[in-house]
Amino acid sequence: MAETEDSAKWYVAHTYSGYENKVKTTIEEAVANRHLEDQILEVRVPTEEVSEVKNGRKRQVQKKLFPGYVLIRMVMNDDTWYVVRNTRGVTGFVGPGSKPVPLSDYEMRSLGIKTTAPVEVDFAEGDTVSVIGGIWKDTTGVITALNPGKQTVTISVEMFGRETPVEIGFADVKKI
């Protein structure tokens, strides 16, 4: 049974609400304990940063995009199904009956998750890069963050006399 990372797909596990991060941690521990790193590749609880006003104070908080769900990139087989399905807090996979259905590339892209192989880059946080494409072409900036999942870097650009963070795709920057 020569399954590879290429046969891994994204599946959605349904969890008890509020258990998403615990389920993620438990699955990651089970993967390490059972040496399934080549079969269960990634576990995600998609979040977004939102502003929240509480007691008259505004603050940034991480809000779950899909409460009650965890995304798992895995090779579906009896072992991986068993590990996920028997994780405390998991109620099942999303799909008709008991058959898990993988998300399509289109569905993953609409979530902002690229399904193509990650691009190898020769730059890191703190490096100065030049923008070679897009609306910021010919701009230079220092990388303040890398997001391999979205295949983007955030660079600091001076605009209107102040430093402003700008997100740019890996393909549109080159190291100086």
Side-chain angles (χ1 to χ4, degrees):
M1 194 167 5
E3 289 159 334
T4 64
E5 287 187 19
D6 296 337
S7 58
K9 301 229 182 297
W10 285 96
Y11 293 88
V12 180
H14 190 265
T15 69
Y16 294 128
S17 191
Y19 275 69
E20 301 89 355
N21 291 326
K22 178 75 175 141
V23 164
K24 176 184 189 296
T25 304
T26 305
I27 291 172
E28 288 169 344
E29 289 168 356
V31 166
N33 292 340
R34 296 172 183 240
H35 305 292
L36 295 172
E37 294 88 347
D38 59 335
Q39 295 175 46
I40 298 179
L41 307 170
E42 193 174 347
V43 183
R44 284 195 186 181
V45 178
T47 59
E48 66 179 342
E49 196 167 287
V50 295
S51 295
E52 177 179 275
V53 177
K54 211 172 198 175
N55 300 328
R57 282 209 163 111
K58 184 178 177 182
R59 62 187 189 125
Q60 296 295 105
V61 293
Q62 291 293 320
K63 183 179 175 210
K64 291 180 184 77
L65 286 175
F66 310 107
Y69 296 95
V70 174
L71 299 177
I72 306 165
R73 185 168 161 240
M74 60 190 269
V75 176
M76 184 59 71
N77 59 36
D78 290 345
D79 292 340
T80 57
W81 182 90
Y82 182 86
V83 166
V84 175
R85 189 61 192 87
N86 291 292
T87 298
R88 184 183 175 102
V90 172
T91 60
F93 281 99
V94 172
S98 60
K99 181 164 175 33
V101 175
L103 292 171
S104 69
D105 287 353
Y106 173 78
E107 290 167 320
M108 291 308 295
R109 278 194 304 277
S110 69
L111 296 176
I113 300 171
K114 301 279 191 284
T115 53
T116 55
V119 175
E120 291 292 317
V121 294
D122 64 345
F123 42 79
E125 279 186 38
D127 288 348
T128 302
V129 292
S130 175
V131 181
I132 56 174
I135 61 169
W136 293 98
K137 189 174 187 305
D138 300 327
T139 305
T140 59
V142 175
I143 297 176
T144 56
L146 271 109
N147 186 334
K150 285 175 66 180
Q151 302 280 295
T152 61
V153 295
T154 302
I155 64 170
S156 198
V157 174
E158 189 172 321
M159 195 164 62
F160 306 120
R162 65 167 59 149
E163 292 292 314
T164 305
V166 176
E167 193 175 67
I168 299 172
F170 282 174
D172 288 335
V173 296
K174 74 172 188 182
K175 189 175 175 178
I176 296 179

